[in-house]
Amino acid sequence: MLIEGSYLVSYVASLHYLIWVRMLARFSFGPTQSFTITSLIVLWCALGLPLRFYLCFALVFDYHLLGEKFRRLFPFMLLLDEVWSAMTIFLIPKIGLGLGFPLFVLAVYSPFAQRTLVRMAYPEKQPPITGDSGGQQKST
C-alpha cells in the first residue's frame, strides 16, 4: 500500500508542478521538446492514476483475485513504472543529486519489490494433485 501511495503522490505532484517541469524542459530541451515532455507526463499520469487507484482499492478490500490480475498487469506496469522513474531527473535541480539519485534507484526497484510482495500475499493456486506418487495402490 505504501508503494501505491508513493506512486499516487508522485503523479499528483507532477501534475501540480507541471508548469515548473515545462519551464525546466523548455530551458533544457527547447519549446517543441518541452511540449512533448509535458504531454507525455500528462499521458503517463492518465495511465497510472486509474491503475494505482485500482490497486489501492484492491489492497484495502483484500480482493481475492488481485494476485491473478496483478500477474497479468505486471508487464504493462513494469513499462509504465520504469519510464516513470526517469521523472526523478526533473527533481535533481530542486533536491540535488545526493537525494535525486537514490530516489531514482528506489523508483527503478519498486515494481520488482511490489511484484514480490503481491506474490507473497496472493500466491498462485496450485491444482490438486491426483493419483498416487509411487504408482502402487495400497489395499485396505
Side-chain angles (χ1 to χ4, degrees):
M1 189 67 173
L2 184 63
I3 294 172
E4 296 307 323
S6 65
Y7 275 111
L8 283 172
V9 167
S10 70
Y11 291 144
V12 171
S14 67
L15 291 173
H16 181 73
Y17 292 108
L18 194 61
I19 293 173
W20 182 78
V21 170
R22 185 172 183 195
M23 288 188 320
L24 181 64
R26 176 174 275 193
F27 176 74
S28 301
F29 303 112
T32 306
Q33 289 83 2
S34 72
F35 179 75
T36 304
I37 289 170
T38 308
S39 300
L40 287 174
I41 289 173
V42 171
L43 174 68
W44 241 249
C45 289
L47 293 171
L49 279 170
L51 176 68
R52 299 303 167 184
F53 280 126
Y54 166 75
L55 291 173
C56 282
F57 288 124
L59 285 169
V60 166
F61 293 111
D62 195 23
Y63 180 48
H64 70 282
L65 295 177
L66 178 60
E68 177 186 330
K69 304 248 180 177
F70 187 85
R71 284 176 187 80
R72 283 193 249 145
L73 284 171
F74 184 72
F76 169 73
M77 285 179 53
L78 181 63
L79 173 69
L80 189 73
D81 294 348
E82 293 305 313
V83 172
W84 188 252
S85 65
M87 292 298 120
T88 56
I89 293 169
F90 289 107
L91 293 174
I92 290 175
K94 188 80 170 169
I95 63 175
L97 185 62
L99 190 57
F101 184 71
L103 193 60
F104 170 74
V105 171
L106 181 64
V108 168
Y109 171 70
S110 66
F112 302 106
Q114 187 177 14
R115 180 174 167 241
T116 302
L117 290 170
V118 168
R119 283 182 149 193
M120 287 171 33
Y122 299 92
E124 284 187 70
K125 296 191 173 151
Q126 301 294 329
I129 300 173
T130 57
D132 55 4
S133 59
Q136 299 175 359
Q137 293 183 352
K138 294 181 182 180
S139 60
T140 54

